[in-house]
Amino acid sequence: MGAVILFRNTTGTDVEEHRVLSFTFRKEAYTPYTSLSARFAAPSPDPTTVTEVLFYLDSRLIHHGIVDSYTVTRSGGSYIGVLRSRSFTSMLLQNQMEPGLYTGISLNRLMDDMIHIPYVTHEEDTDESGYIFVKYGSDLWEAVANFSYKKQKTYPYIRRTNCVMMTPYPQPETFAYASGELLSTGSRLKLNTMVSSLHMEDLNGDFGTYDLTDQAAQARQIVRHRYFELDRQYLYQPQEALEFRDKYAARGWRKDFCTYSGYKGEDLCDLATFGGISGRRITSIGITGSSSGIVTEIGTYRDRFYT
């Protein structure tokens, strides 16, 4: 199957497991981590020494993360392991910053000087003309997402295993899928997070100054109003606070996808061509493997961040 799990342990040793029985790998533009679930012949009856998980597919490293859960069961004279893991960038969601106003911010400073997370890298950004306002309870990923939108009008994503990106990858690979090699193609509509109206307080705590109506939601008879306090993250461009929330609420609302046997090494923001889709950014990757082989699903969104 070409799948290998490498375990790093508290003992300082690395153990490779080639007897992978089944796995599921997920990567998606609005999720700040890769996820892996796998079932395999466990290399040891003791799962408690594992510190890191690396997953290779056809010799490509596509996942490097921590253990969310790892269970070993003895069955029929063999040890079977069941693993769930998320990449190190998942801890961007699990670390809070000290509340307050931060000036002179670049992505470099935000990622390198605030909270250190092992193996997490980022694209280069030395322009320290930005600022962020951190609210109580806000995590580091929220700060990165708001900073990315204010600076680039983008939503950040994860490239390779743990690299945070704000801008489209400048040298994307192009993957063209011939109709004869595809197992399926399809389209999806998802409206469960889309909102119809957003309302934000002004400096006096009053509503009515900052409002946004989503025409696409209204056209689909969706009525979902959201009220929130003045977002000091966008104090100098208050309308952008509503625009950012509206775009994020409509994330992935239209998706085109295809599936094929095997895996070609696609990553987020590479370009995909299949069916009537031509050169659109890849926004989701799902890979499943078992004794029947490997199947990859490639998805491209048409939403407010990806057109």
Side-chain angles (χ1 to χ4, degrees):
M1 185 164 47
V4 177
I5 302 174
L6 186 148
F7 296 98
R8 289 187 173 154
N9 296 277
T10 55
T11 58
T13 59
D14 292 351
V15 178
E16 289 188 0
E17 183 50 68
H18 294 257
R19 298 168 295 172
V20 179
L21 304 176
S22 62
F23 72 87
T24 300
F25 169 84
R26 298 278 184 245
K27 190 172 191 179
E28 192 267 340
Y30 297 107
T31 304
Y33 54 83
T34 59
S35 61
L36 172 71
S37 60
R39 186 172 179 269
F40 49 91
S44 165
D46 181 11
T48 62
T49 63
V50 174
T51 60
E52 300 174 29
V53 176
L54 294 87
F55 182 65
Y56 294 83
L57 191 56
D58 294 338
S59 300
R60 297 184 181 94
L61 176 63
I62 64 172
H63 174 83
H64 185 191
I66 57 175
V67 173
D68 282 337
S69 66
Y70 180 14
T71 303
V72 177
T73 304
R74 184 177 175 85
S75 176
S78 301
Y79 292 105
I80 301 299
V82 176
L83 170 74
R84 297 187 187 281
S85 171
R86 288 179 294 173
S87 64
F88 281 92
T89 48
S90 66
M91 289 187 282
L92 295 169
L93 292 167
Q94 299 166 345
N95 282 276
Q96 296 179 351
M97 295 176 60
E98 182 178 334
L101 177 66
Y102 293 76
T103 58
I105 290 294
S106 63
L107 185 63
N108 285 15
R109 185 180 171 205
L110 185 57
M111 295 294 300
D112 298 338
D113 298 349
M114 301 301 171
I115 300 171
H116 173 69
I117 300 175
Y119 303 109
V120 174
T121 60
H122 56 85
E123 71 173 283
E124 187 73 7
D125 172 46
T126 59
D127 176 16
E128 296 188 350
S129 61
Y131 76 95
I132 57 171
F133 184 86
V134 178
K135 298 174 287 187
Y136 281 94
S138 294
D139 56 57
L140 183 53
W141 181 252
E142 185 176 342
V144 171
N146 281 283
F147 177 76
S148 179
Y149 186 73
K150 289 196 300 181
K151 186 161 190 174
Q152 301 288 347
K153 295 296 183 291
T154 59
Y155 194 87
Y157 64 97
I158 306 302
R159 180 82 182 179
R160 298 187 293 276
T161 53
N162 288 287
C163 182
V164 176
M165 299 286 295
M166 292 192 303
T167 60
Y169 189 63
Q171 292 94 33
E173 290 192 58
T174 299
F175 295 89
Y177 307 93
S179 58
E181 70 178 308
L182 295 178
L183 299 175
S184 66
T185 60
S187 298
R188 184 202 69 186
L189 178 69
K190 183 178 76 68
L191 300 173
N192 61 311
T193 59
M194 184 179 283
V195 298
S196 58
S197 300
L198 290 158
H199 315 277
M200 185 175 71
E201 289 180 340
D202 60 19
L203 281 170
N204 298 318
D206 299 323
F207 288 100
T209 303
Y210 305 118
D211 299 284
L212 185 149
T213 299
D214 190 300
Q215 300 296 333
Q218 286 198 338
R220 287 164 173 79
Q221 309 305 313
I222 293 172
V223 181
R224 296 187 185 117
H225 288 259
R226 297 291 185 268
Y227 290 81
F228 56 99
E229 63 187 8
L230 179 68
D231 190 343
R232 297 180 183 275
Q233 189 81 249
Y234 298 89
L235 196 58
Y236 300 113
Q237 300 90 18
Q239 198 66 26
E240 288 188 3
L242 293 93
E243 294 170 0
F244 174 71
R245 285 167 169 79
D246 181 60
K247 290 181 179 181
Y248 183 70
R251 62 193 181 277
W253 73 289
R254 294 179 297 179
K255 175 183 176 181
D256 298 294
F257 60 88
C258 69
T259 63
Y260 68 93
S261 294
Y263 172 61
K264 298 184 178 183
E266 299 93 339
D267 205 346
L268 296 185
C269 259
D270 283 337
L271 304 178
T273 295
F274 60 90
I277 307 304
S278 179
R280 192 178 296 162
R281 296 279 179 177
I282 294 174
T283 50
S284 68
I285 303 166
I287 312 170
T288 58
S290 68
S291 58
S292 300
I294 294 172
V295 174
T296 299
E297 180 190 283
I298 299 299
T300 66
Y301 294 154
R302 288 180 291 147
D303 59 15
R304 309 286 164 73
F305 286 106
Y306 296 91
T307 56

